[in-house]
Amino acid sequence: MKQKITILGAGLVGSLLAIFLKKRGFEVQIFEKRPDPRFQNIHSGRSINLALSHRGWQALAKIGMQTEVEKIAIQMFARCIHTLDGYTHEQPYSLHEATKAIYSVSRNRLNQLLLTAAEAQGVAINFGMKCTKIEIENNLLGFRNNQNEYIKINPEVCLAADGAFSVLRSQLICQDKFDYQQSYLAHSYMEFHIPAGSNNSWQMNKNSLHIWPRDSFMLIALPNLDGSFTCTLFLQNEGEVSFQNLDNTTKGKAFFEKYFADALALMPDFEKQFETNKVSSLATIKLWPWHKNNFCVLGDAAHAIVPFYGQGMNCGFEDCVEFDSLLEDNMTDISNIFNNFENKRKPNTDAIAQMALDNFIEMRDLVKDQHFLKLKKIEAAIIKKYPKKWLSQYEMVTFSSIPYSEAKTKGIENKLKLENWLTKHGENYVPTEDEL
């Protein structure tokens, strides 16, 4: 592989990847269209809180940043389910260990830490540089800076981690023999904010991910370090209960009063938030292949997914770990590295994309479905009796490095077994070890 690498995008994946590459001895430069988030308030009400779990922590540990990131992360041990009549109950994320948690972390603060670490390693980061031209065959990148000056470079290697609206991917899909899928969910999202209480205290349990499941839609809330919560409403785009019909503040407040009264009571400026915050779409994006010549995409640029398994960032971070592991074996043959990378990752990114869509149904509906809860009861009994013999799909995805494709297959097999035992023996049945 060549010695100088250009990265498009200084977001989470781009900045993390730069650190990995710099530690391998490469000269690394990043081009980012945004201003430096360490000196600009770029929050726009459109950034879902991030759930950091095992795969993400594994990547951070490999570059020596786990301890630093732990300082800005909050443990969430369970889902706290808010029923329509105002009651709450908790569902632990891990049936194996009560101390296992996913972590709520600010996207912007994590990005700031990674950018500072990348610069400390010697990565050159160019902000305010919008990529306006890519010629793959001519090995050319063109940028416009904030003064509208045009700059062009001929990258030795270009890795694009520039997100779901990647400029490199937009060029790749114009090439021959590139498959591309972009499917929008029939739901969109809108963010809200629950402020801290007195003395910057949290007004709900800070160690839970709060969910208000309402069948075809839901509200969630994740804690922030300052005592506040970031809430996200996921709602259909069209229909009787939809964003289309919530076309003014009065309707918006009436909707919250009906379905999320306890959350509304914690939002004193709801009207202002509803008028100001924007509705944003949700899409799954798939591409094949991920590279051509010296250009390659990764992270959301290659495989954007919906956020319902909390794996978007974790999956992107795992891309960096996998890419780095390939460099450990071969740092010279770029074509071979790119081929191996996309062939290894594609089945897994496709798998987590589907599981994320499936988990939306679980979060908004099944967490209060009696049949689902009966299956979970059997599963809990199995784990209590045979903890080393059974892993739920959620455990495999969230608390292990088991490939996503394997977790998806095993999860389907486990569900069929649970369904069979429930049908034959009822919810109190505990299968034998041989049956597992």
Side-chain angles (χ1 to χ4, degrees):
M1 194 166 175
K2 306 292 176 61
Q3 292 303 302
K4 189 170 184 178
I5 300 177
T6 298
I7 296 175
L8 299 181
L12 296 173
V13 174
S15 52
L16 178 68
L17 179 64
I19 298 170
F20 272 104
L21 293 170
K22 192 65 181 178
K23 285 180 175 290
R24 289 284 176 194
F26 295 104
E27 183 180 349
V28 183
Q29 60 179 344
I30 305 177
F31 289 88
E32 168 60 54
K33 68 179 180 180
R34 302 173 304 163
D36 190 333
R38 293 169 294 182
F39 307 106
Q40 300 283 333
N41 180 15
I42 62 170
H43 178 68
S44 61
R46 301 182 63 177
S47 178
I48 298 173
N49 266 41
L50 301 173
L52 183 59
S53 56
H54 175 82
R55 297 169 203 266
W57 284 119
Q58 184 181 49
L60 293 168
K62 283 184 178 294
I63 60 167
M65 288 195 64
Q66 181 170 347
T67 300
E68 190 171 3
V69 175
E70 283 174 349
K71 297 175 184 177
I72 65 165
I74 300 175
Q75 292 177 306
M76 299 181 293
F77 299 102
R79 294 168 171 166
C80 181
I81 308 302
H82 294 248
T83 64
L84 190 58
D85 53 9
Y87 291 99
T88 62
H89 66 274
E90 294 203 340
Q91 298 175 358
Y93 279 120
S94 174
L95 296 175
H96 286 267
E97 297 178 35
T99 56
K100 282 186 177 180
I102 60 176
Y103 292 73
S104 176
V105 64
S106 160
R107 178 191 301 272
N108 197 40
R109 293 190 70 175
L110 180 55
N111 200 177
Q112 291 171 357
L113 287 180
L114 290 171
L115 289 170
T116 298
E119 283 188 336
Q121 291 288 330
V123 175
I125 308 176
N126 305 281
F127 293 100
M129 298 286 283
K130 184 177 181 180
C131 185
T132 58
K133 190 171 188 178
I134 298 178
E135 294 182 3
I136 294 173
E137 297 299 339
N138 295 324
N139 198 43
L140 173 70
L141 291 173
F143 300 90
R144 289 277 179 188
N145 64 18
N146 291 334
Q147 290 73 45
N148 202 34
E149 297 169 328
Y150 182 70
I151 297 131
K152 66 178 181 179
I153 64 171
N154 301 106
E156 294 182 12
V157 175
C158 178
L159 298 170
D162 52 342
F165 301 101
S166 168
V167 290
L168 176 54
R169 191 189 63 237
S170 69
Q171 293 300 308
L172 289 175
I173 63 178
C174 296
Q175 306 292 311
D176 188 36
K177 298 184 176 67
F178 272 79
D179 292 328
Y180 173 64
Q181 292 177 293
Q182 178 175 286
S183 55
Y184 282 93
L185 209 59
H187 292 66
S188 292
Y189 72 91
M190 185 177 186
E191 284 203 340
F192 294 90
H193 182 258
I194 292 177
S198 58
N199 300 317
N200 292 326
S201 60
W202 289 270
Q203 298 193 69
M204 302 184 295
N205 180 6
K206 71 171 183 175
N207 296 121
S208 295
L209 189 156
H210 295 262
I211 306 178
W212 291 257
R214 300 295 183 260
D215 296 331
S216 63
F217 59 94
M218 68 176 181
L219 180 74
I220 68 170
L222 279 77
N224 298 308
L225 286 175
D226 63 0
S228 67
F229 285 84
T230 299
C231 302
T232 310
L233 171 65
F234 297 96
L235 182 66
Q236 297 97 317
N237 296 319
E238 299 177 353
E240 183 177 351
V241 182
S242 68
F243 281 119
Q244 182 185 50
N245 280 344
L246 300 184
D247 54 5
N248 60 57
T249 304
T250 300
K251 290 182 180 179
K253 189 169 185 178
F255 171 76
F256 265 71
E257 286 173 341
K258 181 176 181 179
Y259 293 108
F260 312 116
D262 55 340
L264 178 63
L266 303 177
M267 301 179 194
D269 62 342
F270 174 85
E271 290 87 348
K272 181 180 178 181
Q273 292 191 51
F274 190 87
E275 290 175 357
T276 304
N277 296 349
K278 297 179 180 179
V279 176
S280 300
S281 59
L282 295 159
T284 299
I285 291 172
K286 296 180 181 180
L287 176 72
W288 184 255
W290 292 359
H291 86 282
K292 185 169 184 179
N293 298 346
N294 292 342
F295 293 80
C296 182
V297 291
L298 71 166
D300 281 355
H303 50 74
I305 64 175
V306 293
F308 304 115
Y309 227 121
Q311 287 297 303
M313 172 188 61
N314 294 287
C315 183
F317 279 13
E318 194 173 59
D319 280 356
C320 299
V321 172
E322 294 287 359
F323 195 86
D324 182 66
S325 68
L326 291 170
L327 291 176
E328 188 172 358
D329 297 329
N330 178 2
M331 292 180 63
T332 58
D333 187 349
I334 183 174
S335 179
N336 188 48
I337 291 169
F338 284 170
N339 280 322
N340 288 339
F341 176 65
E342 65 191 13
N343 280 307
K344 187 172 184 180
R345 292 301 289 158
K346 175 66 170 173
N348 292 308
T349 58
D350 282 355
I352 190 56
Q354 185 57 52
M355 287 189 288
L357 291 167
D358 294 341
N359 208 49
F360 181 34
I361 298 172
E362 178 173 323
M363 291 177 72
R364 78 184 193 210
D365 188 0
L366 296 182
V367 290
K368 60 185 180 63
D369 177 79
Q370 290 304 309
H371 180 76
F372 173 81
L373 295 175
K374 289 176 181 177
L375 294 177
K376 286 296 182 184
K377 184 177 179 180
I378 297 175
E379 187 168 57
I382 294 170
I383 292 171
K384 184 177 181 180
K385 190 170 183 178
Y386 312 109
K388 296 182 179 179
K389 293 285 186 178
W390 186 278
L391 281 177
S392 68
Q393 185 183 83
Y394 193 88
E395 290 266 355
M396 289 185 276
V397 168
T398 307
F399 300 122
S400 85
S401 298
I402 294 171
Y404 288 127
S405 56
E406 183 179 332
K408 179 174 179 285
T409 299
K410 187 64 177 177
I412 293 171
E413 293 173 356
N414 285 352
K415 186 175 185 295
L416 291 173
K417 288 180 180 179
L418 291 171
E419 292 278 8
N420 183 55
W421 292 326
L422 178 62
T423 300
K424 287 186 176 180
H425 306 287
E427 63 187 276
N428 295 315
Y429 182 69
V430 182
T432 66
E433 190 169 359
D434 288 342
E435 287 179 288
L436 298 181

